[in-house]
Structures are given as C-alpha cells and as structure tokens.
Amino acid sequence: TSYNVAILGATGAVGTRMIEQLETSSIPVKTVKFLASKRSVGKVLRFKGQDVKVEEATPEVFRGVDLVLSSAGGSVSKKLLPAAVKAGAVCVDNTSAFRMDPNVPLVIPEVNRAALAQHQGIIANPNCSTIQMLVALAPIYRQYGLKQIVVSTYQAVSGAGQSAINELLQQTQQYLKQEPLTANILPTKNDIKHYPQAFNLLPQIDVFEDSGYTHEEWKMIHETKKILLADPDATQIKVTATCVRVPVVIGHGESVYFTVTDQTATTTQIRDLLAKSPGIVVQDDTRQQFYPQPLNAEGKRETFVGRLRPDLENTGAFNCWVVSDNLLKGAAWNTVQIAECLIEDHLL
Ligand code: A2P
C-alpha cells in the first residue's frame, strides 16, 4: 500500500523540512498535497523532482487523505485537524494544540513509541526543546531513575518560524551597518513588546504565565511528565526550566543538570549507555575540544550529547550539554518518524 499525504503549513520553516524528510523517508507516497494559507496559493514547491502547487488549507481539502503532517500553528491545527480526522486521515501534529489532551499520544519514537497504539486520529509531536532533552535523558531515566532535571535552553530563532529567521538576518545586517535594529516578531509574535535578537539574548520564549514562567518553560515541565510518567514503573520526577532565545538560526543547545536515583551510577556508565541508545550521538572528548555545536547539528536527525560530567559537590548528580536540529528532530523529522512508526506498527 501507499498513502495520500498532506502537509499542512508546507511553506513554513518546519513544513519545508517536512517535505524533505518525507522525500527521504521509508513512507510509500501515492500523492502529496501541500497546504498553506490563502497567501501561498499558486506557489509551486517540489516533491521528488515534481512540481506541486500549494493549495489553501480548508476543511474540505482532506477528502481522500490518509496522513496529515501538520505545522501551521496551534489555531490552524485546532480548526482543521478534527475535519481531517473526520475525513479518515491520521494526523501527526507539530503544534501545541493537542499535546496535553489525554486522548492524544505525545510521542518521541525513541522514548515512548508504544503510546502510538492509543491514538484516536491525532498524535502530537512534543515541543522541540522537550524532544532533544528526553532523547538524551530517557535512557538514563530507565536505567538509573531520575529524581530531578534542571535545564537551561539556548534556542535558535527558527523555532519561531521563517519570519523570525528573516528578522535575525535583517537585524544582523542593520547592526553591522550601525543602523537601528527593527524588531516585530521576537521574542514572540503573540506578545505586545518586541526586542532585537541580533547580538542579544532574550529570556522569553512564548508568553508569560501567572507563575512567572514562560509557556515554553511550562511545556518542558509538563510534556516531560506526560511522556515519562506513562511508564508502568514510572517514579515521580521534578523538572524546572529556563528558556532563552539566542542569535543562532538552527539548532537548540541545552545545559541539562540531572540527579539520578541510583547513586552508584558513574559518568562512564552513563556515557556508554548514551552511546548505544537510539537517536543519540555522543560527542564528548574535552582533550580534543570535542563537543556538540548547533552549526554541526544542522541537517542531522540525531541528538548530540557532550560535556557529560559529575557535579563535584553532589553525588548522583551530573551536567551535560545537548544539541539537536530543532527543525528536524525537534519538529519535521520527529513528525515523519512518527508516521514511519505508525506504518510499521499497522496503526495507519
Ligand atoms: P503561509 O506561507 O501561506 O503563510 P512558519 O512556522 O515558518 O511561520 O510557517 C507557518 C506555516 O503555516 C506556513 O506554511 C503558513 O503558510 C502556514 N499558515 C499560517 N497561517 C495559516 C492559515 N490560517 N491556514 C493555513 N496555513 C497557515
């Protein structure tokens, strides 16, 4: 069998990667539909050497579609995916629209693939920062138990979409020409004030909650629990996060501090465990100055882990540095990988 696939948000930063990841995936594709807003109707994109015209995303357009890969924003998913499910499609959604819905599996294939079996038409892709952190930590959680995670992120602007990439590049040129920097998108489209990102750090990703945390930080805490605590032998886990946008185009970095339950776990054992775990590449040799960097992770599907070292003043506690391409493992690849798993597991 082969499948009729629709990509919702096909013209965006993630959508264009979804097209590439689908082209190089094991999914047998019968037809593709590339969907975006009215603004993009008439645009032509390529799929496996063929021209494909972009169509407007409407509830009617999903007739005959088997699989929807979606990344056009939460409100678009909320509006259109129920219609796609009604038309018989299975949707893998990269937005936050359905992530915390108890009827929607939130899946990282390396971590909780089994949850796919519970799907009722929609499967959610976790937040990009959550995905790369849990690819790295889930093997440690399973082998040694995790008591606490303290994470600080260094997030690339592409996580905020193509318009944020354009804004950083424009501000960089303005800065070099000693012109005033214009800011209209970052830190987040949905808030009132905007600040320059070029040559700057913005400790705000998404909007603030009453708790004083941003919604991005909230996602890292609660998505982690939804994904890990579904384990039959799950133990409680404490998570806290600080999310920072940095002037990098592609590739999120994360400084991750974690404490394990099994106090006998050593740095060498954890490094060996990570090296043989799926989706992880260990890049950790301080004598050779070898560690993960966003520029090297760009275009790769794996999550890169380095700088693994014990907390010298607390036993059972470690620091590490985790980098991944936020548009691939953090978004487009995880989505396409979920679709591959659905097919392999006879769930599509
Ligand atoms: P368009 O290019 O027509 O605006 P990004 O994350 O890079 O900002 O991309 C967002 C994606 O979501 C784009 O493909 C964009 O299409 C699409 N999109 C935005 N708003 C809508 C909408 N109301 N209906 C359908 N697609 C939308």
Side-chain angles (χ1 to χ4, degrees):
T1 39
S2 57
Y3 301 91
N4 298 319
V5 183
I7 296 185
L8 177 54
T11 53
V14 173
T16 50
R17 268 73 180 187
M18 282 177 167
I19 296 172
E20 291 167 15
Q21 295 298 307
L22 181 64
E23 281 176 325
T24 53
S25 78
S26 65
I27 299 169
V29 178
K30 198 191 300 171
T31 65
V32 286
K33 267 183 202 270
F34 291 162
L35 309 174
S37 78
K38 218 186 244 157
R39 295 178 291 273
S40 295
V41 173
K43 245 193 199 171
V44 177
L45 299 171
R46 306 278 290 175
F47 186 75
K48 295 192 175 175
Q50 306 282 321
D51 284 349
V52 180
K53 278 199 190 122
V54 177
E55 299 171 59
E56 184 184 353
T58 63
E60 295 74 39
V61 85
F62 298 102
R63 200 171 306 134
V65 171
D66 304 305
L67 172 67
V68 179
L69 308 174
S70 120
S71 194
S75 57
V76 178
S77 284
K78 275 202 186 112
K79 202 174 80 188
L80 292 179
L81 296 193
V85 173
K86 218 176 245 169
V90 173
C91 306
V92 189
D93 183 28
N94 185 53
T95 77
S96 62
F98 298 100
R99 285 183 191 147
M100 297 315 287
D101 184 328
N103 295 319
V104 173
L106 183 63
V107 176
I108 307 166
E110 291 87 342
V111 178
N112 65 334
R113 176 173 181 160
L116 289 174
Q118 312 304 318
H119 89 78
Q120 298 173 24
I122 300 177
I123 297 106
N125 212 42
N127 177 265
C128 45
S129 302
T130 310
I131 292 177
Q132 68 182 67
M133 180 174 82
L134 292 189
V135 168
L137 292 185
I140 303 168
Y141 173 71
R142 302 238 154 90
Q143 186 82 29
Y144 302 108
L146 279 176
K147 286 196 288 198
Q148 188 176 18
I149 304 168
V150 180
V151 58
S152 297
T153 69
Y154 301 67
Q155 295 184 226
V157 297
S158 53
Q162 188 59 48
S163 55
I165 300 176
N166 299 345
E167 180 167 273
L168 173 64
L169 297 177
Q170 189 188 21
Q171 287 171 355
T172 305
Q173 288 176 331
Q174 290 169 333
Y175 186 95
L176 296 177
K177 289 189 215 150
Q178 301 186 336
E179 288 170 5
L181 307 189
T182 50
N184 302 301
I185 311 279
L186 293 166
T188 177
K189 272 183 228 170
N190 327 326
D191 213 339
I192 299 158
K193 293 188 181 173
H194 300 288
Y195 305 115
Q197 178 69 74
F199 304 94
N200 200 12
L201 301 173
L202 297 175
Q204 180 190 354
I205 301 185
D206 213 330
V207 293
F208 283 100
E209 314 260 334
D210 291 339
S211 63
Y213 284 79
T214 60
H215 194 52
E216 185 83 353
E217 292 159 353
W218 185 95
K219 288 176 203 164
M220 291 195 78
I221 296 165
H222 294 277
E223 292 180 15
T224 295
K225 294 184 186 211
K226 176 165 175 175
I227 293 163
L228 291 185
L229 299 188
D231 263 22
D233 51 2
T235 50
Q236 201 36 252
I237 182 168
K238 291 180 179 169
V239 187
T240 190
T242 302
C243 293
V244 180
R245 189 79 72 190
V246 300
V248 166
V249 176
I250 290 175
H252 290 352
E254 299 181 340
S255 165
V256 184
Y257 180 83
F258 59 94
T259 58
V260 296
T261 315
D262 178 353
Q263 300 275 322
T264 69
T266 67
T267 306
T268 308
Q269 284 171 337
I270 292 174
R271 192 180 290 110
D272 291 347
L273 172 68
L274 295 181
K276 61 179 206 253
S277 297
I280 298 177
V281 175
V282 173
Q283 295 184 326
D284 197 10
D285 185 351
T286 50
R287 279 169 307 182
Q288 305 290 331
Q289 292 177 270
F290 186 48
Y291 39 72
Q293 301 172 33
L295 279 182
N296 299 334
E298 184 175 338
K300 310 259 166 59
R301 288 174 167 175
E302 293 87 358
T303 295
F304 300 88
V305 185
R307 298 293 323 277
L308 180 67
R309 61 210 192 276
D311 176 345
L312 300 177
E313 313 210 324
N314 285 297
T315 47
F318 301 86
N319 277 295
C320 68
W321 172 245
V322 181
V323 173
S324 192
D325 184 326
N326 57 299
L327 296 177
L328 296 188
K329 186 57 186 168
W333 164 236
N334 200 68
T335 302
V336 171
Q337 188 187 17
I338 286 171
E340 285 187 349
C341 294
L342 287 170
I343 293 169
E344 276 176 35
D345 298 351
H346 308 287
L347 295 166
L348 182 66

